[in-house]
Amino acid sequence: IAAPGGFIVLFRGLVERTQTPEELAGVLAHEVQHVVRRHATRMLVQNASTGLLLGALTGDASGAMRFGLEGARVLGILRYSRQYEEEADQEGIRMLIAARIDPAGLVRFFESLKEKEQEREMPAFLTYLSTHPTTADRVERLKSLAAQADGQWVTLLPDLQWREISQLCNAAAE
């Protein structure tokens, strides 16, 4: 995850879930774009400023009014979150292409997430409340962006097996 202050937190579970170094590079490129574009900081500022503005306009920030204001703020945040996710996806793909890393890795990662989501089958109304675009929409958009690249890719970690690296991460955690 990308955190305010330019930090990226990499969880062991992500390394375990990715099947290739290109998949991990794709996810990291996406998160780097959140940092570069200051999405977390912008969300904090938007959240605070929206609350202050609504409180000032209504002159009341207590009880039922506070609940209504918070609901309006959350709906605004959801829109910005989805917008930021789409921007990070798009710019992450561009970053991968510029580095000559196969963007199909990022596509494959989201395809595997989509398969897991289909197993769980969430109710449709929850997608409206999601801070992220639907995974199916992301996969299609990422495929379209990746198809525009020329395909002159470098092989990441050519002499190492990805599973061995993932196992090293597990061993280090024990």
Side-chain angles (χ1 to χ4, degrees):
I1 60 171
F7 296 98
I8 295 177
V9 180
L10 177 63
F11 293 100
R12 186 179 77 214
L14 176 62
V15 176
E16 292 169 352
R17 178 175 266 172
T18 54
Q19 299 298 309
T20 66
E22 288 78 13
E23 286 185 25
L24 182 60
V27 174
L28 289 174
H30 169 94
E31 295 303 327
V32 164
Q33 290 305 313
H34 281 307
V35 170
V36 167
R37 298 182 184 298
R38 293 178 164 73
H39 288 160
T41 303
R42 289 166 63 186
M43 288 294 292
L44 289 171
V45 169
Q46 288 165 344
N47 189 19
S49 63
T50 302
L52 290 172
L53 176 65
L54 290 174
L57 289 174
T58 62
D60 181 15
S62 62
M65 190 58 155
R66 183 178 295 154
F67 181 76
L69 294 175
E70 188 62 28
R73 182 173 23 190
V74 167
L75 289 176
I77 288 170
L78 291 176
R79 182 177 65 83
Y80 282 116
S81 295
R82 287 188 288 267
Q83 181 181 353
Y84 292 159
E85 287 300 317
E86 290 173 6
E87 184 179 38
D89 286 347
Q90 181 176 344
E91 296 305 318
I93 285 276
R94 286 187 182 155
M95 176 184 261
L96 292 169
I97 292 169
R100 296 184 30 216
I101 298 171
D102 189 354
L106 182 58
V107 175
R108 281 191 306 274
F109 179 79
F110 277 110
E111 285 174 331
S112 71
L113 288 181
K114 185 173 115 182
E115 289 171 13
K116 293 215 183 296
E117 285 176 0
Q118 289 170 342
E119 292 171 9
R120 289 183 291 180
E121 202 170 326
M122 282 198 306
F125 77 91
L126 288 180
T127 57
Y128 178 75
L129 298 175
S130 175
T131 58
H132 290 61
T134 66
T135 306
D137 289 344
R138 289 177 101 165
V139 167
E140 292 310 310
R141 193 171 36 262
L142 290 169
K143 280 182 179 178
S144 174
L145 292 167
Q148 298 171 17
D150 68 6
Q152 303 281 324
W153 314 123
V154 297
T155 303
L156 297 179
L157 306 173
D159 298 328
L160 299 172
Q161 295 295 322
W162 184 241
R163 286 296 112 214
E164 292 172 3
I165 293 171
S166 179
Q167 290 170 353
L168 286 173
C169 291
N170 286 334
E174 294 174 355

